[in-house]
Amino acid sequence: MSENVLVICEQRDGVLQKVSLELIGKGRELAEKTGQKVVALLMGDGIEKLARVLINHGADKVVYVEHEILKDYMTEPAAKAACAVIKDENPDIVLVGASSIGRDLAPRIAARIETGLTADCTSLTIDDETGEFLMTRPAFGGNIMATIICPQHRPQMATVRPGVMIACDEQPRDGEIKKFDVSFDPGDVTVEILETIKTTKKAKDITEAKILVSGGRGTGNKENFATLRELADVLGGEISASRAAVDLGYAEKDRQVGQTGKTVRPDVYFACGISGAIQHAAGMEESGLIFAINKNSSAPIFEIADVGIVGDMHKIIPKLTARLKKEMA
């Protein structure tokens, strides 16, 4: 019989990725409703020390696979190791972060263990009446939210983008840490990594920002984003954008918020010249305080905004920035 919630945790260069801790938190919530435990799977080389961090963030058990072949991510070795652990643990639910690695790994695991996979979920819950695992994601271009179940096969698998769930606070906890051995052979290495080139980003990842000033189509052009940047700088925040603004070249892809971009949960979110279609709302509606500035009084963004200003953002934002500078001087 399948049991427990297994979270495939991602680490890069010995650093746990934020989405893994977020999924441990969600796994903890699901497990408490079903009377199960949270099992974390960790793969890499020299990563045993990270197991205690996962326990302290909510895992009841950590299974780690340590091997030099897993030092840098490669699809085949990682898939082989993950499938071996899943078959041994026989979990009821498997959660994977929808990072570049997770999106490569999860479908391969699902195919090999012959189960379904619901990608890019925005909500994961257990039905109070039926006990079914409900996986909700945007569908049909984000025009509807589809809730999917997997009644015929186990485990039930889902991927979740970074920033969607909330990690538990780290605190000392008791838990089991188990090393799992996997036999690799030369045939498991289907690619050769010649060189790893890392880029240094000056801007902070928008999923980690406490304050975001986001521009949409109404920004007008790339140059006008400088006005948004000034407001963000005064507030100690970061710039983000809607898909429309990114498609028009106003902002970089890594600044995009929404269904096809990143999910953010800042304390304060400014939506400037953004209509607020469901595709964008799916990526920021959990923000603490939402300010919306738009000339269209019927724009959907006002339905989820805490504070709405109907007017020209090109006139309002400079005045707001000047006033904030004065007040914060």
Side-chain angles (χ1 to χ4, degrees):
M1 180 179 176
S2 300
E3 61 179 8
N4 298 331
V5 178
L6 187 144
V7 179
I8 298 180
C9 297
E10 182 180 334
Q11 60 81 28
R12 301 191 186 194
D13 296 329
V15 178
L16 283 168
Q17 300 302 290
K18 184 181 176 184
V19 67
S20 298
L21 301 180
E22 293 168 351
L23 291 183
I24 291 290
K26 172 50 70 169
R28 177 85 268 140
E29 178 186 320
L30 297 172
E32 288 176 355
K33 291 196 69 173
T34 58
Q36 298 177 335
K37 293 183 178 181
V38 179
V39 180
L41 167 58
L42 189 60
M43 299 179 287
D45 188 27
I47 42 83
E48 181 184 2
K49 61 183 180 296
L50 300 178
R52 176 52 54 186
V53 179
L54 295 172
I55 294 290
N56 291 344
H57 273 92
D60 298 298
K61 177 181 180 180
V62 176
V63 179
Y64 70 96
V65 183
E66 205 166 43
H67 195 283
E68 60 182 9
I69 202 174
L70 298 170
K71 182 178 185 297
D72 295 308
Y73 175 77
M74 290 185 287
T75 303
E76 182 57 35
K80 181 176 182 177
C83 288
V85 173
I86 288 171
K87 288 177 181 178
D88 185 70
E89 290 290 329
N90 193 28
D92 186 46
I93 294 170
V94 173
L95 304 181
V96 187
S99 61
S100 56
I101 288 177
R103 284 174 169 159
D104 178 69
L105 182 62
R108 285 167 170 79
I109 294 173
R112 295 183 189 193
I113 63 177
E114 299 182 344
T115 192
L117 171 66
T118 306
D120 283 353
C121 294
T122 57
S123 174
L124 300 172
T125 59
I126 302 294
D127 188 281
D128 290 331
E129 296 183 3
T130 65
E132 290 276 9
F133 180 43
L134 307 180
M135 300 169 279
T136 302
R137 72 178 305 278
F140 293 101
N143 292 307
I144 65 169
M145 299 300 286
T147 298
I148 299 168
I149 61 173
C150 182
Q152 301 294 328
H153 300 276
R154 291 295 182 272
Q156 304 164 94
M157 285 189 68
T159 65
V160 182
R161 286 187 295 178
V164 175
M165 306 303 175
I166 301 175
C168 297
D169 293 333
E170 186 174 9
Q171 56 184 347
R173 297 179 70 253
D174 293 328
E176 178 186 355
I177 298 174
K178 171 186 174 183
K179 184 177 182 180
F180 188 91
D181 293 321
V182 177
S183 297
F184 295 102
D185 56 64
D188 295 326
V189 181
T190 55
V191 298
E192 181 183 359
I193 299 175
L194 300 177
E195 184 181 6
T196 301
I197 301 174
K198 299 179 181 180
T199 57
T200 302
K201 294 183 178 180
K202 295 181 179 179
K204 188 176 183 179
D205 189 323
I206 61 173
T207 63
E208 298 179 6
K210 297 296 184 183
I211 298 175
L212 283 174
V213 179
S214 198
R217 187 189 301 273
T219 308
N221 56 54
K222 188 173 183 178
E223 289 68 32
N224 286 340
F225 256 78
T227 306
L228 302 185
R229 165 58 67 186
E230 190 175 358
L231 175 58
D233 288 344
V234 169
L235 295 170
E238 290 290 331
I239 287 291
S240 54
S242 68
R243 176 175 177 174
V246 171
D247 289 346
L248 288 167
Y250 300 170
E252 300 299 322
K253 175 67 177 177
D254 66 352
R255 302 281 100 187
Q256 183 178 325
V257 172
Q259 180 190 338
T260 55
K262 295 182 178 181
T263 299
V264 298
R265 199 190 295 262
D267 294 336
V268 182
Y269 187 88
F270 285 86
C272 310
I274 295 174
S275 64
I278 188 172
Q279 292 92 335
H280 185 77
M284 46 67 71
E285 60 188 350
E286 295 298 323
S287 301
L289 185 63
I290 301 172
F291 289 89
I293 304 173
N294 201 294
K295 289 193 294 186
N296 181 5
S297 61
S298 60
I301 192 67
F302 289 123
E303 296 177 10
I304 60 173
D306 297 291
V307 178
I309 303 173
V310 179
D312 186 347
M313 59 170 284
H314 302 297
K315 296 179 180 178
I316 294 169
I317 292 176
K319 291 181 179 180
L320 175 60
T321 303
R323 181 61 180 267
L324 286 171
K325 284 182 177 179
K326 182 179 178 180
E327 295 293 332
M328 298 170 72

